[in-house]
Every structure is written in structure tokens, then in C-alpha cells.
Amino acid sequence: MEKVTLSVKGMSCGHCVKSIEGSVGELNGVQHVEVNLNEAKVTVEFDQNKVSLESIKEAIDDQGYEIA
């Protein structure tokens, strides 16, 4: 398992949290997603043999948020 914390711009509310946790959490190989609005960070624990970090970043980007 790999664990990464990404800085994400544009998150401001509970809807943002659900949007990111839902889209990233649906990816095959993602074990856990945690969004911290106060720090503007998303922590993801995932199996790098099943899903790439790039795919995780794309899922966040597709929801309309920018990875810093």
C-alpha cells in the first residue's frame, strides 16, 4: 500500500468533500480517502499495483479541483 497527501485547491464545503471522496473512492485499488478542508489536502491510501497516482489525480481534476 502507498499513502500520499495531495494539496488540492478549490475545496470549500461538504459537497467538495463528498465529491472527491466519492470519485476517488470508486477507483479500483483505493483503500481509503480522507479530505481535510482546513488544510486543503486529500490523503489517499491505495494499491499502486491496481491504480496509479496519475489516475487518482485525474479523478480529482475531473471533479473540477486543482492539484497544487
Side-chain angles (χ1 to χ4, degrees):
M1 281 295 175
E2 187 170 338
K3 187 175 185 176
V4 296
T5 301
L6 304 168
S7 294
V8 180
K9 294 180 181 178
M11 301 184 301
S12 61
C13 63
H15 174 75
C16 301
V17 172
K18 287 184 187 254
S19 176
I20 290 175
E21 287 180 347
S23 64
V24 174
E26 288 177 356
L27 295 173
N28 184 33
V30 172
Q31 191 79 23
H32 180 74
V33 184
E34 184 177 331
V35 176
N36 184 322
L37 280 179
N38 294 332
E39 295 182 12
K41 299 210 181 287
V42 177
T43 301
V44 184
E45 194 172 336
F46 64 100
D47 182 343
Q48 62 271 28
N49 295 319
K50 293 183 179 177
V51 65
S52 69
L53 179 57
E54 194 57 40
S55 294
I56 293 168
K57 289 179 177 180
E58 281 180 23
I60 294 170
D61 187 60
D62 287 349
Q63 293 301 311
Y65 305 101
E66 181 183 345
I67 297 170

